Amino acid sequence: MTSLERILCRLKGKQVDKIPNLNIVMMFAAKQIDIPYGQYVTDYEKLVQGNLYCAEKFGIDAMSAISDPMREAAAFGANVIIPEDDVPYCSKNLLEDIEDISAIHIADPFSNSRTLDRIRAVERYHELVGNEYAIIGWVEGVLAEAADLRGVSELMLDLATGEQDATGLFDLIFKQQCAFAKTQIDAGAHIIGIGNAVASLIGPRLYQKYALPYDKMLIEYIHSLHSYAKLHICGNITPLLPYLRETGTDILDVDHMVDFGKTIQMFSDLPVSICGNMDPVSVFLQGDQKKVSNAVIKCISSCNSTTMIAAGCEIPRHTPLENVKTMDNLLWL
């Protein structure tokens, strides 16, 4: 059974030979091929090389185009700094006012080097392993992208006070994220990951008002293009779970501070694969093989026929290799 077959079968609750391993590797992947992270996020060939290496060595079942949340921000016109060996970031907020979106540059995803690089990564995956591995493209969720452009603290204050109208900004971002998702699906992505980590900071009332409608619409759009959606919200999303049931996502990533078994039960009546949820730091980075084994076995004990396994977020750069191998060894059925 190929990794692609394994994931597609698991999504439908069909029999598989191994629980799919959906660990996210970024800095870890760059370290394995001995390159600085600045090169990893700007050269799609290196990103592809790092993911292929990790898939072969550590049993990861998907090729992901994720690297950092600043690709779309750069396309919108933000001044993005790319350190030699660290994560890209904005030097200043592009938007001084959430209602004044005149500073935003609307660009075709092919016209900006950072979004184009991600498209090229998906194309390269498709050429090399498109029939063997699930290819995961990536976009920022509308709320997360608004935070990238406005600033997290500023956006939180805007939403909490409700004194300004965010609709214009959110609608604009939504249209661009649909366009970016489409280019990656056209390039060969089987799944589009949606990173919306900032949603874990706003609570259920504000999530339902500001983020849920756009998460639902984006996932519906991805489905209309005959692709799957994977919603990734880092942090404690326990209060959001009743609303996340409404998103229609095919895969829901669950971080380590969320009760994995209860989440699986809560979504068991829906066609959703819950994915998670070991602590990337205390288990993988700081733990030993015994600690990893215990954590993975605990997750497996909660699994149903659609569950997938991964650390709750990215595998840290300096994680011992034996810990990552240990996880995959335990997933074979």
Side-chain angles (χ1 to χ4, degrees):
M1 179 171 273
T2 66
S3 291
L4 175 59
E5 291 170 338
R6 187 174 295 130
I7 288 175
L8 294 179
C9 284
R10 194 70 168 177
L11 282 166
K12 296 177 175 64
K14 296 181 179 180
Q15 185 174 352
V16 293
D17 56 349
K18 186 188 84 168
I19 301 172
N21 176 344
L22 290 193
N23 272 334
I24 296 173
V25 290
M26 295 187 283
M27 283 193 161
F28 181 82
K31 185 175 187 294
Q32 301 316 302
I33 60 172
D34 196 27
I35 62 169
Y37 201 60
Q39 187 175 352
Y40 184 85
V41 304
T42 55
D43 183 347
Y44 71 91
E45 293 280 9
K46 297 300 183 184
L47 184 149
V48 169
Q49 179 186 348
N51 276 263
L52 284 171
Y53 179 90
C54 289
E56 293 170 1
K57 191 172 182 67
F58 306 110
I60 298 172
D61 287 300
M63 298 290 105
S64 181
I66 186 175
S67 65
D68 67 275
M70 291 297 154
R71 291 186 184 262
E72 294 102 310
F76 278 126
N79 183 26
V80 174
I81 306 299
I82 302 178
E84 180 181 358
D85 195 26
D86 211 337
V87 180
Y89 63 93
C90 284
S91 60
K92 61 175 291 187
N93 297 339
L94 180 63
L95 299 181
E96 295 297 328
D97 186 312
I98 198 169
E99 292 184 327
D100 182 7
I101 58 177
S102 59
I104 292 182
H105 174 65
I106 305 302
D108 184 287
F110 285 97
S111 68
N112 180 269
S113 62
R114 298 227 64 219
T115 47
L116 177 60
D117 187 75
R118 178 168 288 169
I119 297 167
R120 295 292 182 242
V122 173
E123 289 175 340
R124 189 66 173 142
Y125 283 141
H126 182 68
E127 292 170 1
L128 295 174
V129 293
N131 294 322
E132 300 174 42
Y133 288 93
I135 301 168
I136 303 179
W138 204 270
V139 300
E140 293 300 293
V142 170
L143 192 71
E145 187 58 32
D148 292 337
L149 300 173
R150 176 77 175 108
V152 174
S153 298
E154 292 82 358
L155 180 66
M156 295 298 101
L157 185 60
D158 290 334
L159 301 187
T161 62
E163 294 176 355
Q164 293 182 294
D165 185 5
T167 304
L169 174 61
F170 287 2
D171 285 350
L172 185 152
I173 292 172
F174 171 72
K175 292 176 182 178
Q176 283 297 102
Q177 302 311 72
C178 286
F180 193 29
K182 185 178 188 303
T183 61
Q184 294 175 72
I185 292 170
D186 290 344
H190 304 101
I191 301 168
I192 296 294
I194 303 166
N196 214 4
V198 74
S200 67
L201 303 178
I202 64 173
R205 181 180 65 85
L206 294 179
Y207 177 80
Q208 183 184 31
K209 181 177 181 179
Y210 291 109
L212 177 60
Y214 292 98
D215 283 346
K216 288 175 65 174
M217 289 191 296
L218 183 54
I219 290 166
E220 287 171 0
Y221 180 72
I222 291 166
H223 287 165
S224 76
L225 299 177
H226 309 292
S227 188
Y228 295 95
K230 178 178 185 280
L231 184 57
H232 181 91
I233 304 177
C234 305
N236 188 357
I237 61 172
T238 301
L240 305 183
L241 291 175
Y243 303 103
L244 294 174
R245 282 177 50 89
E246 301 177 30
T247 62
T249 189
D250 303 287
I251 303 171
L252 177 65
D253 287 352
V254 176
D255 211 343
H256 71 276
M257 60 283 289
V258 181
D259 189 301
F260 196 52
K262 289 182 179 178
T263 303
I264 292 170
Q265 293 176 6
M266 184 176 181
F267 284 76
S268 61
D269 62 323
L270 299 175
V272 180
S273 292
I274 303 300
C275 180
N277 82 323
M278 293 75 66
D279 187 337
V281 177
S282 68
V283 173
F284 282 95
L285 177 63
Q286 299 173 345
D288 55 18
Q289 292 180 66
K290 181 177 180 181
K291 189 167 187 176
V292 171
S293 295
N294 290 340
V296 174
I297 289 169
K298 181 179 179 181
C299 284
I300 292 174
S301 70
S302 299
C303 286
N304 64 18
S305 62
T306 64
T307 311
M308 304 191 196
I309 299 291
C313 199
E314 173 188 4
I315 296 291
R317 183 195 301 220
H318 300 295
T319 296
L321 307 188
E322 295 76 12
N323 288 353
V324 190
K325 292 178 181 177
T326 295
M327 173 186 145
D328 194 69
N329 291 337
L330 295 168
L331 301 183
W332 292 91
L333 301 174

